[in-house]
Amino acid sequence: MSVPVLSAHNIGKSYGSGANRFDALKGVSLDIQAGESVAIVGKSGSGKSTLMHLLALLDDPDSGSLLVEGTDARKLKGKEVNRLRNQDFGFVFQQFFLTANATVLDNVVLPLKIAGVPPRERKARGMAALEQLELADKAKNKAINLSGGQKQRAVIARALVNNPKVIFADEPTGNLDTATGAVVEDILFALNKDKGITLIIVTHDIELAARCDRQIFIRDGLEDTTESGASRKRHAGAHAGAHA
Amino acid sequence: MKFIDIVKTAIANSFRSKLRTGLTVIAIFIGAFTLTITSGIGTGVTSYIDTQVSAIGAADVLTVSKAADSTSSTTDGPAAYDPSKATTVSLGNGSRPGTTIQALTARDLTKIEKTSGILGVDPSVRVTPDYIEYDGKGKFEIIVNATATLTKADLAAGSQLSNASTADQILLPTTYLKNLGFPSAKAAVGRTVSIGITDYTGAQQTVKATVVGVQNETILGVGAGLNQTLTDTLHAIEVTGAPAGATDSYATATAHFDVTSTPAEITAIKDDLTKQGYASQTVADQIGSFQTVINVIIGVLNAFAVIALIAAGFGIINTLLMSVQERTREIGLMKAMGMNGGRVYTLFSTEAVFIGFLGSALGALAAVGVGSLVSNILADGVFSALPGLQVVQFAPSSIAIIIGVVMLIAFLAGTLPARAAARQNPIDALRYE
């Protein structure tokens, strides 16, 4: 088996100190292979978002270790972490985080701007990403004037613009109605299948989670192995059925 | 992120909240406007004084008079009569009406001349010629500029008066040309004019003098300048037929010293003269005290402008802190996307500097516009009697310095909010509601 893209060993994270200390994550281990689609499932407050933040190197774990393509994340310098987040990771958030008064194109090319890509190339790549998500005609519109589904597609275009290896999606359909949500889901899974982009989706939506290759259930800061195991079995069964 | 993108983004960000940025810019505008105007007045007045009296022109000259007599104070009553003392003479033009000072006598002149460091002394004689005439084109009254030999004239044509020359030389003000019948300043140079003067017995005599130059009118004396030779010639005629000793007293004398003297040596000469009971001033002293007053006034005005700018600096801090607060999520997003803290810091600092630049550039521009306008109106109105006076003048270098200083203040004001932005944790920022 090849080196996992991300590999967590017993990672934990707590916030506050003393009496206010709150252990958000109490030790979770997992491996994520390149090209997989993984759902991190749990109720709100279960620690699933914290786990995603740690995997995305947005936060440092208090205990345990995290390997990025075999390298210990603690050994990475700030510059390398920034490069990794900028070029290898793409982020899709429930709340979109689009700059309201900037154009859709400007929003989409933000990662390229941070990377220092020259304006001409930025525009070409931004337009290509928008084209892919059928938003090219909205490129000059202000982000605030888009519908919810269009906003989420713009966010996916932004996550995609740097040709990342991994896309982290935090409740990507949380703010969308069922029909639009389904479209966004289809786009994400198409990217996973066609481009081999690793997909890590944080969600409490069981149906969305079921579409992923694998589900990791988080409860009270720990992996709920019975649930995860059951889903693994279901998954394996489904595969077996399909091949039968 | 490339620097040019940071600058572009910072500029775009500062225009996002137009009202807030606008108000901060107004605060800076007021400070920069005031600072530019006051520095403009400083430049204008100083350059006017400099052109009017090239102060350095007569660096080797002391104006000497008798020191005010300490014994004749109001409480002690009149001092005892001293037959060796000269009678008082009234000071002319420029002094308080009715004021008198002790006159210098021939004996005083000898004493002054003997003072070490003094090369020569000339009594300041005041000659009052009756008329001036050129080529029979009519006689006109002539006013003699008493300080002409002490200062370098602001020339319109020709050259300066030479005290060393044995020729009778005259320097005409531009205002005399038309009446005397000269078509231009250049045409007057080298021509001979006749000066009429009445002697002690009442007989009128004529003296020929060569026009060596034409000078723009100055504050330090309107009228024609005469060189020492011409003054002496005219004085000799004025006292012709006078009884001996009748005209032997002078209000002031001009003492010459070595032009290479150091300030310490000049001070020593002045101290020496003070000990002997004479008050002395160099031209630099006279003009220097005037400039000191102006510099103090301008300094005070500048201090007010700087206070305004410091207040504006807090405006910048406030504006940017609100901006950082508002854009917490955006900062978090940028950091999540791999923008490092240094760049975030630069982004907000640049925004502060841009706001500073906007305020100061607009302020300076408005000040130049308003200042020039007011200055021109004043030059044609209140100050029309002082040709060449532009009260407000702008030196590009000082405007550049003002804009630079304001941008520096803005940068310093921006450090606090920029640091707050740079230190934000992407996770906290993204969670921020």
Side-chain angles (χ1 to χ4, degrees), chain B residues 123-214:
Chain B
S124 308
V125 290
R126 191 178 296 272
V127 290
T128 44
D130 301 327
Y131 65 85
I132 180 167
E133 183 180 28
Y134 168 64
D135 204 16
K137 288 178 184 163
K139 293 171 180 174
F140 296 93
E141 283 186 6
I142 175 170
I143 295 161
V144 174
N145 178 356
T147 57
T149 53
L150 295 182
T151 54
K152 233 181 212 169
D154 179 17
L155 288 174
S159 54
Q160 302 285 348
L161 290 172
S162 161
N163 289 326
S165 167
T166 52
D168 289 327
Q169 294 181 340
I170 186 165
L171 193 65
L172 290 177
T174 46
T175 47
Y176 276 41
L177 297 174
K178 211 178 130 201
N179 289 4
L180 287 175
F182 291 112
S184 70
K186 263 194 184 147
V189 177
R191 300 304 166 106
T192 306
V193 291
S194 329
I195 296 164
I197 189 159
T198 313
D199 68 19
Y200 209 81
T201 58
Q204 208 171 47
Q205 302 192 27
T206 316
V207 174
K208 299 270 184 212
T210 310
V211 179
V212 289
V214 176

Side-chain angles (χ1 to χ4, degrees), chain A residues 15 53 58-59 82 85-86 91 93 95 97 99 110-111 113-114 116-118 122 158, chain B residues 1-2 5 9 16 329-330 333-340 425-427 430-431 433:
Chain A
Y15 297 104
H53 292 152
L58 290 172
D59 216 345
N82 279 332
R85 288 208 300 243
N86 184 256
F91 296 95
F93 302 99
Q95 305 95 325
F97 295 137
T99 304
L110 183 63
K113 207 169 167 183
I114 291 169
V117 174
R122 272 201 317 245
R158 182 175 66 191
Chain B
M1 203 171 197
K2 288 208 175 111
D5 285 324
T9 311
R16 246 199 254 169
R329 272 191 180 178
E330 201 186 320
L333 181 73
M334 288 195 292
K335 293 192 92 171
M337 285 178 173
M339 182 134 155
N340 65 35
N425 182 337
I427 290 309
L430 289 175
R431 272 208 210 100
E433 294 294 328

Side-chain angles (χ1 to χ4, degrees), chain B residues 347-401:
Chain B
L347 185 64
F348 279 86
S349 293
T350 310
E351 190 174 334
V353 170
F354 176 71
I355 291 173
F357 170 75
L358 207 61
S360 59
L362 289 176
L365 206 69
V368 170
V370 172
S372 307
L373 198 71
V374 169
S375 178
N376 283 337
I377 291 170
L378 286 179
D380 294 340
V382 185
F383 297 138
S384 60
L386 301 172
L389 171 58
Q390 287 286 334
V391 191
V392 198
Q393 269 179 28
F394 299 99
S397 60
S398 60
I399 289 176
I401 290 170

Side-chain angles (χ1 to χ4, degrees), chain A residues 183-204:
Chain A
V183 173
V184 168
E185 279 176 31
D186 289 344
I187 293 168
L188 287 173
F189 285 111
L191 289 172
N192 173 242
K193 288 216 171 57
D194 303 341
K195 297 198 156 198
I197 296 174
T198 311
L199 199 58
I200 299 173
I201 300 175
V202 170
T203 185
H204 61 266

